[in-house]
Amino acid sequence: RTRRRNNWGGGRGFGRGRGGRGRGYYNSRVDRQASVAVKAEWTVVDEFELSKWAKIRTPDIPSEEDLLWCGFLDQYNDLYDKVNTKSNVSLRRTETKDFYFVSTTDDPVVEKLAIEGAGQVFATDAILAHLMASPRSVYPWDIVVQKLPNGVLFFDKRDSSQFDFLTVSETANIPPTPNEDADNINTPEKLSLEATTINQNFTQ
């Protein structure tokens, strides 16, 4: 309700009450398109507000168990523990590593665990992170849920989604806005690509 009042309450009273800042905030509001086109013939199964997810509590938290360890870790560079404004360390671009954004249904490890009956719900870490942070999300997104005849659920992403990319200033008062200028480096897409590339190189 508060967000709706801030977005649409750009009247005279609102502008005066906020020292004239209300109108400027109204002009900077961005109408974001849905991540998927909602069709009129679709049947609404359930509807809920993301803000209520922050109050959800599980009475009985199950104990975790490591089913499988995959991959390997390189040696950590201790120089990055001493980085500050006076002692900086250049972040080198990793040219010998490839990063794969695998979806849930295309992950061979998840497929192996599903065949073995190791669980009833499968998802990638990126999808779980989106669900956990959904009450604070601003950019539109959606997930695809597939239910097998045996009741197993697969939470998946679309091929054209941005699930595996980091966002920049998504919850800021004035977030980055799309721009048709190809040379503009401060669009949400370019900032997201830059942040994701920096994070990938830092992990290596």
Side-chain angles (χ1 to χ4, degrees):
R1 185 179 301 172
T2 302
R3 179 178 296 177
R4 197 161 49 239
R5 183 165 58 250
N6 288 344
N7 286 349
W8 298 102
R12 293 182 179 179
F14 179 78
R16 291 198 303 268
R18 295 289 298 274
R21 290 178 295 175
R23 184 172 300 175
Y25 181 84
Y26 175 82
N27 292 334
S28 64
R29 181 177 56 84
V30 178
D31 291 326
R32 306 188 188 281
Q33 299 296 326
S35 59
V36 59
V38 180
K39 300 181 181 180
E41 62 270 18
W42 286 6
T43 301
V44 178
V45 178
D46 199 356
E47 189 174 2
F48 48 84
E49 296 182 4
L50 293 179
S51 58
K52 295 182 178 180
W53 282 27
K55 302 179 181 179
I56 294 179
R57 295 292 183 271
T58 302
D60 299 324
I61 300 178
S63 58
E64 70 281 355
E65 178 185 358
D66 292 329
L67 300 179
L68 188 65
W69 284 73
C70 305
F72 63 91
L73 292 176
D74 292 326
Q75 184 176 2
Y76 178 70
N77 189 352
D78 296 336
L79 291 177
Y80 289 100
D81 289 337
K82 304 176 182 178
V83 173
N84 53 47
T85 55
K86 296 182 179 180
S87 176
N88 55 13
V89 178
S90 300
L91 182 63
R92 294 177 298 177
R93 180 182 294 273
T94 303
E95 303 288 354
T96 59
K97 297 292 181 66
D98 294 325
F99 298 90
Y100 300 98
F101 302 129
V102 183
S103 62
T104 305
T105 53
D106 293 336
D107 192 322
V109 176
V110 173
E111 180 182 4
K112 176 178 178 294
L113 295 175
I115 294 176
E116 296 176 352
Q120 291 292 324
V121 181
F122 296 92
T124 63
D125 56 343
I127 294 177
L128 288 177
H130 269 72
L131 291 175
M132 293 174 65
S134 59
R136 296 284 296 168
S137 62
V138 175
Y139 296 146
W141 54 271
D142 64 278
I143 58 177
V144 178
V145 181
Q146 301 183 38
K147 184 176 182 180
L148 301 184
N150 59 357
V152 176
L153 296 177
F154 286 89
F155 285 73
D156 217 335
K157 62 180 181 179
R158 300 182 188 276
D159 295 335
S160 58
S161 67
Q162 301 292 320
F163 261 79
D164 298 289
F165 288 84
L166 303 177
T167 60
V168 178
S169 301
E170 180 179 359
T171 58
N173 292 331
I174 304 179
T177 57
N179 195 302
E180 296 180 357
D181 185 5
D183 297 329
N184 192 333
I185 62 175
N186 292 321
T187 60
E189 294 78 11
K190 291 186 177 181
L191 290 174
S192 176
L193 179 60
E194 179 185 23
T196 304
T197 302
I198 292 174
N199 183 70
Q200 288 177 343
N201 287 287
F202 178 74
T203 61
Q204 303 302 317

